[in-house]
Amino acid sequence: MRKFVIAGNWKMHKTLPQAVALASDMKEGLRTLEEIDIIICPPFIALDGVRDAVQGTKICIGAQNMHWEAEGAFTGEISPPMVQDLCTHVIIGHSERRSHFGEADTMVNRKVVAAIAHGLTPIVCVGETDDENRAGKTREVLDRQTTRALAGLSAQQAAAAIVAYEPVWAIGTGRAASPAEANETIGLVREVIGREFDAPTAAAIRILYGGSINPGVWPDIIAQPEVDGGLVGGASLFAEDFIALAVQTRAAYAASLRP
Ligand code: PEP
């Protein structure tokens, strides 16, 4: 059974004191939800403070990005060993990294490989743009992004990674994919993983949905059989909403375990 995940991507929001305050506000509400994996991904400068703020809970800390080299002359970048000191997870290939900072599939792959080499679980983002969706290219885009992002991994490494299907047209737009769309497209990504690796890997890997998740739409999406959790942007900046999403995720996980 795939353990469900709820992950919050705080993006470029919150100063250090604000981030610590938000994590402290979330801590109690999330403490008892240990059946699922809960990951919060604050900005780099707040990783240490947020990690301290949630100490004593099972909440995991993730980075939003990192370089693939262990060290070197890369001004402004953060390396895997730096991330590894503070985090268990790292988001790789978010569509905002791809579109604003030119991250291509090869770069995404280097980062995924580096994350695994440093004992970090990558949360690998894939997703088609609105234009690609309208042009009927969703399958082609997701096949390419998924295949290239996971290239060179062993089946065991791939199975332990997390993929997030985030349609670009749904991110920050208030227009989430329908439950059926999310289910079908995640099924497609799983199919690609089955072809590139094997059936057990496809059955084991967790694939999340991301894009305008809020507590109003989430129960119907997370109830879909292919959806193993969510990557949340905007709603993760509000303790009450993120806790509600985590509670809903735990309820869906419990329901999925019932025969
Ligand atoms: C995201 O950026 O990963 C995301 C899913 O954002 P939002 O929930 O705000 O659409």
Side-chain angles (χ1 to χ4, degrees), residues 9 11 94 96 166 170-172 210-213 231-234:
N9 172 14
K11 309 194 186 189
H94 189 279
E96 288 151 16
E166 299 208 301
I171 295 180
S212 294
I213 292 173
L231 178 54
V232 188

Side-chain angles (χ1 to χ4, degrees), residues 50-127:
V50 167
R51 186 187 57 158
D52 286 352
V54 301
Q55 223 169 27
T57 72
K58 293 232 166 97
I59 299 168
C60 300
I61 306 296
Q64 299 174 16
N65 177 38
M66 67 174 198
H67 199 276
W68 59 88
E69 292 288 348
E71 61 180 4
F74 300 102
T75 302
E77 290 291 323
I78 302 286
S79 75
M82 297 171 189
V83 171
Q84 181 190 32
D85 265 354
L86 301 166
C87 300
T88 49
H89 294 73
V90 55
I91 299 172
I92 304 284
H94 189 279
S95 69
E96 288 151 16
R97 300 292 321 165
R98 293 180 191 256
S99 66
H100 301 319
F101 303 100
E103 281 194 15
D105 290 330
T106 44
M107 232 188 254
V108 170
N109 178 243
R110 282 182 189 155
K111 293 182 178 196
V112 169
V113 170
I116 291 170
H118 288 85
L120 292 156
T121 301
I123 302 173
V124 187
C125 300
V126 296

